[in-house]
Amino acid sequence: MAKAEFYVSADVEADGPVPGPFSMSSFGLAVAGVHDGAAFTACDPGERTFYAELKPISDAFDPEALAVSGLDRGRLAREGQEPARAMNAAAAWLAGVADELGAVPVFVAYPLGYDWMWTYWYFMRFADAGSPFGHSRCMDLKTLYAAKAAVPLRRATKRSMPPGLLSSRPHTHNALDDAIEQAELFQNLMRWEPDA
């Protein structure tokens, strides 16, 4: 019998467009729910969370990208966690949740490409055991909405979604706040059955 999956809503703030030349400034993870193979059960997304702010890995940064999060790069350089410490701590946290829930983690984000790129690269580069999500255990909420709503991907925007799908939480650009907000969108999408 296949193991259950637990869905981890993830959000990343970074100081540039791609990892390597630029740095992940912070990331937040929030457990959104569990699927046992037959049914989805939502979890309180504020109950099981992880958050880290990281030291920059290069001197390069895009001021506009950095400004989105409001994080101070100088403070991150002094007080942020070393990437290896942060990624190993996140992997250990995920392993603990996996043991608690008897399930394997699945990464969820909106849109997936950006947050997955950063987190996967950082796990593969800095975590001792690589990615806790493997190379493909991930789900794009934009695609999930497009498939359920039967709309082209270009129309799978939050502005075009029925208001009842969206979280009532504000989008603050704090990675943990936004991971929790996004977890609620994910829960709503998983339960949503659009009119035929």
Side-chain angles (χ1 to χ4, degrees):
M1 183 173 161
K3 209 172 204 183
E5 297 176 334
F6 71 96
Y7 300 98
V8 181
S9 175
D11 187 74
V12 166
E13 298 297 333
D15 65 13
V18 293
F22 300 96
S23 306
M24 182 161 66
S25 305
S26 65
F27 69 104
L29 306 173
V31 176
V34 179
H35 199 292
D36 65 5
F40 171 73
T41 304
C43 300
D44 175 352
E47 186 177 323
R48 294 180 190 91
T49 63
F50 183 91
Y51 177 74
E53 295 180 356
L54 291 78
K55 288 185 184 297
I57 60 171
S58 75
D59 292 332
F61 68 96
D62 176 346
E64 288 184 17
L66 182 63
V68 170
S69 69
L71 292 169
D72 179 86
R73 202 163 196 274
R75 184 184 66 76
L76 291 175
R78 294 187 308 274
E79 301 172 11
Q81 293 185 43
E82 292 292 342
R85 180 179 176 200
M87 302 320 289
N88 280 311
W93 175 79
L94 285 162
V97 176
D99 287 345
E100 176 193 350
L101 298 176
V104 295
V106 174
F107 185 103
V108 299
Y110 179 101
L112 177 70
Y114 182 82
D115 300 286
W116 174 259
M117 169 182 63
W118 282 97
T119 330
Y120 181 75
W121 190 93
Y122 263 72
F123 273 126
M124 294 305 292
R125 173 69 179 84
F126 296 110
D128 295 339
S131 170
F133 302 99
H135 70 278
S136 63
R137 223 168 33 248
C138 54
M139 183 186 298
D140 179 29
L141 302 191
K142 190 175 177 74
T143 303
L144 178 61
Y145 173 75
K148 281 194 160 196
V151 298
L153 200 58
R154 71 181 182 279
R155 288 188 40 220
T157 63
K158 288 182 182 177
R159 286 187 301 276
S160 69
M161 291 180 183
L165 288 178
L166 303 175
S167 171
S168 60
R169 295 174 187 265
H171 194 76
T172 66
H173 291 291
N174 169 281
L176 183 55
D177 287 351
D178 291 353
I180 292 170
E181 175 207 4
Q182 180 181 260
E184 293 183 350
L185 169 62
F186 170 73
Q187 292 169 349
N188 293 338
L189 280 169
M190 288 295 283
R191 292 183 290 237
W192 184 50
E193 295 296 339
D195 296 333

